[in-house]
Amino acid sequence: MGRKELREQRELVRAAIAAADEPHLRYALDGTVGDAQAFCWAALRQFERKYAPQVFRTPKDFGLHHADLHLLLIVAHESVSHVQLVEELLSALGEPHPLPPSRDLRDRLREARNLLAEHRDERVLYRRLTTEHTPHVIATYSRLGIALPDGSIDSETLGYFPPPGATETEIADGQASVGTVGGMLSLPSLHAALLELEAELDKLAQTHQGKGTPPPGFR
């Protein structure tokens, strides 16, 4: 879906939310919370797979480990995308309820998903052919205020070294770079936010489950 079509679809959804009555909003909220839970659980399962003891002996072992990170970024972003819809529905009901992750972490996750998973193939091919990063990669890092890595952005930092902009708390906790992918997204921070989100969604599911009325003819 192109940018124009995506923008039109979002406007269509916002208009439908604004026009819906309370029973239909509550019905939609129940289902959307369930969708967000499904993707949140899937992302947490990817973390479990990532952190399970692994032995790397063959190219297949390394390849699957690398691909698992991409799957993690995709399902984590899907959960956050659904969370935004949950927040919009709650606001429409007059019950605003901000949910994790933070806005900054959501932005970093979206950019990491875009660069490291969704559009990775052409970006990597361009760098293999030219040894240079694409203009989109350069612009993204500049927008986030992050120094562009000298090497590949597909790397994960396994050691500890505070990056530019790390808070004193992050540095003191030793979480500034450990598990950071592409120099832009802290996996420990994302994991903690998803665990918090799982608990928040469970509360919302218990509160709103079975409430509301589906539109006539909806299956």
Side-chain angles (χ1 to χ4, degrees), residues 54-69:
Q54 300 180 57
V55 178
F56 299 102
R57 293 194 179 98
T58 68
K60 181 179 179 180
D61 295 332
F62 285 97
L64 289 175
H65 178 72
H66 195 62
D68 275 341
L69 172 62

Side-chain angles (χ1 to χ4, degrees), residues 168-203:
E168 293 183 2
T169 301
E170 288 175 328
I171 294 173
D173 291 343
Q175 296 294 319
S177 281
V178 174
T180 297
V181 292
M184 68 169 66
L185 177 66
S186 167
L187 293 182
S189 296
L190 177 61
H191 186 235
L194 288 173
L195 287 172
E196 183 182 354
L197 175 62
E198 180 186 30
E200 290 288 330
L201 290 174
D202 183 59
K203 293 177 184 177

